[in-house]
Amino acid sequence: MIVSARPYPDIKELFSESVFSNADDMSFYPLGRVALLSGLIILGLKKGDGVIVPAYTCNSTVKPLQAYGFNITFIDIGENLELLVDKITKIIEKDKAIKALLAVHYFGLTQNIDEVVSVCQKYDVKVVEDASHSFMSQLLRDKDSIKGDAEIFSMRKSIPIVDGGALRMNNGSANVAKNSNNQCVSIISDIKYLILRFLEKVVTGLGVNIYGQFINNIKTKLRSEMNHETHNLNVDTCKASWQLRMYFGNEEYLQDAQQKIINNFNQLNQALCKIGFRLFVESVDGNVVPQACVIYDDKGGLVDYLRSNSIGARRWPDEEIPREVVQNSSQYPNAVFFDKRLVLIPIHQSISISHCDYMVRVLHKWNKSNY
């Protein structure tokens, strides 16, 4: 059995009679990182201004900001992935060039950032909520509960699409993103994505482990080559892809996906707790849709073991962790620890009860052989 790391396209839903009406207050971009850069510019930041970014992040978030000309100041996160107000205050008071802060809602787990926002408002520092991991959770939140000056999304992490970057301005900020009639992705790219995902499903259906070491090495090499490309600093908005419009306009699909993810999370969490695994989060409330079942790997090697058993588990950000963080690991111990020790097990809407049962059996074998 192959457990995919990401959800598969739903052909039935792509040809349903959905109406793309839930996004009137959003601007769309090819990727979440472009939405972030655009949001900072709209909020008035200039080249040379400073931005506080959690050290527990990936290069794809940071590099475009640096390429544009922002100065990034990393900050370590707390033991619950939270931003630490005392550290934020010290940085802002020391560096008067700080004009914005990125607050990340990791793995679908919405953070309480009231105190962070209060401190930043005191020093006239803008707050951007990064909901790249948490699109499904954000759909369940009332807009008035969003505290930052803006929020960004990367919907391709939650629904099977090739684009999905989006920006929403909050607290009365006018969304003055430069309009564009261009498509975020071409119809050819849209169709190409569908074909590749269909072929992936066929190949995995034949029992080919696409998460084995050989294929994983190829993926790592390709990602490494892509990281050396010049970053696209075009921050014009674009029209969402056909697939995004169909999924996002289909409230029934989104609600069904949310419920499946929550059910998978509960099934895995309860089973893994009984086996003896340390869970990062034991339960979630009704307004949270986790992106993954997150567990600790206290001895190391668990991700490789799971992937060798055809399960699309991963670490994050893994090889994407910024070099500045790795080279100064003593300053960011929690970020480095989480990068090495947290394992993300897929629970997306394409995963069935039988997939969950299989993952529990594989993890039970691991636990018996290592403890």
Side-chain angles (χ1 to χ4, degrees):
M1 178 177 288
I2 314 292
V3 182
S4 173
R6 51 187 180 157
Y8 286 113
D10 191 320
I11 301 301
K12 177 184 175 183
E13 302 302 339
L14 283 175
F15 292 95
S16 65
E17 297 181 2
S18 40
V19 180
F20 188 55
S21 59
N22 297 326
D24 294 339
D25 58 350
M26 289 185 179
S27 298
F28 289 91
Y29 302 83
L31 299 167
R33 68 198 72 165
V34 183
L36 172 58
L37 177 58
S38 178
L40 291 172
I41 294 171
I42 291 171
L43 289 171
L45 270 73
K46 308 295 183 184
K47 294 181 179 181
D49 285 342
V51 181
I52 299 174
V53 175
Y56 191 44
T57 191
C58 58
N59 268 321
S60 59
T61 296
V62 174
K63 291 302 182 184
L65 306 184
Q66 293 173 323
Y68 181 80
F70 294 135
N71 294 318
I72 302 301
T73 297
F74 290 106
I75 182 173
D76 202 17
I77 36 93
E79 294 182 355
N80 295 308
L81 300 179
E82 78 278 16
L83 285 167
L84 302 174
V85 175
D86 57 338
K87 289 189 176 184
I88 293 171
T89 304
K90 288 179 181 178
I91 291 173
I92 294 175
E93 290 181 344
K94 182 179 179 181
D95 186 354
K96 303 304 180 183
I98 297 294
K99 300 298 180 183
L101 175 144
L102 185 65
V104 182
H105 298 299
Y106 295 100
F107 314 136
L109 309 173
T110 301
Q111 294 279 345
N112 183 346
I113 61 169
D114 287 5
E115 193 175 358
V116 170
V117 171
S118 179
V119 168
C120 287
Q121 287 177 342
K122 176 182 176 181
Y123 293 96
D124 195 26
V125 171
K126 303 299 183 182
V127 176
V128 177
E129 296 189 58
D130 184 347
S132 296
H133 295 177
S134 307
F135 167 64
M136 287 292 186
S137 292
Q138 297 302 93
L139 284 181
L140 297 178
R141 296 176 70 195
D142 186 285
K143 186 179 177 182
D144 292 337
S145 69
I146 300 167
K147 306 300 182 182
D149 298 284
E151 61 177 341
I152 64 160
F153 305 94
S154 182
M155 299 180 198
R156 67 194 184 114
K157 294 179 174 62
S158 302
I159 53 180
I161 52 176
V162 70
D163 56 333
L167 169 68
R168 181 160 63 180
M169 309 301 294
N170 303 317
N171 296 335
S173 299
N175 192 343
V176 291
K178 186 176 179 181
N179 291 321
S180 170
N181 291 321
N182 295 329
Q183 296 288 332
C184 289
V185 295
S186 67
I187 188 64
I188 294 176
S189 296
D190 237 0
I191 294 172
K192 179 182 176 181
Y193 173 80
L194 274 181
I195 293 172
L196 290 175
R197 294 306 310 281
F198 173 75
L199 291 175
E200 176 188 320
K201 196 167 186 178
V202 170
V203 168
T204 56
L206 295 173
V208 177
N209 180 13
I210 61 173
Y211 304 110
Q213 192 61 50
F214 176 73
I215 295 179
N216 189 61
N217 288 341
I218 295 175
K219 292 179 181 177
T220 300
K221 183 178 180 181
L222 290 174
R223 280 194 292 265
S224 177
E225 291 175 353
M226 289 175 63
N227 286 339
H228 288 91
E229 293 179 357
T230 302
H231 295 283
N232 184 359
L233 301 180
N234 178 9
V235 293
D236 289 350
T237 62
C238 52
K239 293 182 178 179
S241 67
W242 157 65
Q243 293 178 60
L244 173 52
R245 294 197 302 271
M246 296 305 293
Y247 288 125
F248 198 26
N250 191 330
E251 188 172 344
E252 183 178 352
Y253 168 80
L254 293 174
Q255 290 177 346
D256 185 55
Q258 289 166 351
Q259 193 57 57
K260 286 180 179 177
I261 293 167
I262 292 171
N263 290 343
N264 289 337
F265 173 83
N266 289 333
Q267 181 181 347
L268 271 180
N269 250 33
Q270 291 168 12
L272 297 184
C273 182
K274 290 179 181 178
I275 292 173
F277 279 94
R278 282 208 302 148
L279 310 176
F280 184 74
V281 175
E282 294 186 1
S283 62
V284 295
D285 62 35
N287 291 324
V288 172
V289 182
Q291 185 196 36
C293 176
V294 185
I295 63 176
Y296 288 95
D297 178 13
D298 292 318
K299 295 196 173 182
L302 180 54
V303 168
D304 290 340
Y305 169 78
L306 290 172
R307 294 178 76 89
S308 70
N309 281 275
S310 309
I311 297 171
R314 62 192 176 95
R315 286 165 43 199
W316 186 89
D318 201 8
E319 70 270 7
E320 271 266 303
I321 190 168
R323 183 180 302 173
E324 299 95 321
V325 174
V326 175
Q327 292 177 341
N328 299 279
S329 58
S330 61
Q331 297 180 36
Y332 315 109
N334 289 335
V336 173
F337 173 81
F338 288 135
D339 175 54
K340 292 180 178 179
R341 294 304 180 199
L342 290 188
V343 175
L344 279 59
I345 302 173
I347 56 171
H348 54 76
Q349 58 268 36
S350 297
I351 288 178
S352 65
I353 293 175
S354 60
H355 286 129
C356 290
D357 289 339
Y358 171 71
M359 288 190 284
V360 170
R361 292 196 300 272
V362 171
L363 284 160
H364 185 57
K365 290 180 181 178
W366 165 271
N367 210 41
K368 287 179 65 177
S369 62
N370 284 273
Y371 295 93

